Amino acid sequence: MQSIPPRKSSFAPVTDARTRVLICGSLPGERSLAERAYYAHPQNQFWRLMAHVLAREELPALPYDARLAALRDARCGLWDVVASALRRGSTDAAIAAIEPNDVATLAATLPDLRAIAFNGAMAAKHGLRQLGAATNRWAILSLPSSSPLHTVGLAAKLPAWMEVRTFLQG
């Protein structure tokens, strides 16, 4: 008999009134939860991808608070589509009994929001469901997952991620 997996919860959103792009993942993995930091696993490509998007090659090496400040300065926000769920390990495939975050309500409070970008297929699936009819209010980007479990290389993911830049400018 298997025990019930532990319930894991996402972090607070990283946004402000200037946010133009909200990047939503699914649910933080084990390393991120342990460090209380978005995309903390050293093999996760998120910070390297965002270094290209923001043209800030030093981004991955900055302390975590400075990385978040750089995102906010670039008018980019972070959150997850899952508020909490049962999950053993870090894979999206193991997520069950989802309690969603209210992405639509958060997005509606961001006056400069232009786009919502989903980091990976699971985030897109649940995020689009949460947005419902509100999806026509913003551009929607479905990005290849930055997770190390999505084994496509950084170079293959980068073109889709660079689309984020167009919504941050101007």
Side-chain angles (χ1 to χ4, degrees), residues 2-164:
Q2 283 194 340
S3 63
I4 296 173
R7 180 158 289 276
K8 298 174 181 174
S9 299
S10 66
F11 307 135
V14 176
T15 60
D16 63 30
R18 302 172 309 129
T19 300
R20 287 186 176 169
V21 176
L22 178 62
I23 298 175
C24 294
S26 55
L27 182 68
E30 294 292 326
R31 181 75 173 259
S32 293
L33 291 168
E35 293 187 25
R36 302 291 306 155
Y38 281 103
Y39 305 106
H41 194 288
Q43 292 178 333
N44 191 296
Q45 297 170 329
F46 177 81
W47 295 109
R48 285 174 281 167
L49 289 161
M50 289 307 295
H52 289 279
V53 170
L54 304 180
R56 298 213 32 200
E57 68 180 53
E58 79 283 5
L59 187 66
L62 294 175
Y64 180 66
D65 288 341
R67 282 182 268 156
L68 293 182
L71 288 182
R72 281 191 298 271
D73 288 346
R75 304 179 81 166
C76 189
L78 290 178
W79 206 23
D80 289 305
V81 298
V82 176
S84 72
L86 300 178
R87 182 179 68 196
R88 187 171 281 109
S90 294
T91 67
D92 281 356
I95 292 174
I98 290 172
E99 292 180 15
N101 273 321
D102 193 347
V103 175
T105 295
L106 174 66
T109 69
L110 302 172
D112 289 346
L113 191 66
R114 296 176 176 177
I116 300 174
F118 295 108
N119 183 356
M122 194 272 197
K125 174 184 169 187
H126 290 279
L128 290 170
R129 185 179 304 144
Q130 292 166 26
L131 289 173
T135 57
N136 63 357
R137 294 182 61 186
W138 308 282
I140 302 295
L141 303 174
S142 291
L143 305 173
S145 176
S146 65
S147 168
L149 299 174
H150 184 60
T151 58
V152 175
L154 186 112
K157 296 176 185 181
L158 193 55
W161 278 81
M162 289 303 287
E163 290 182 45
V164 170

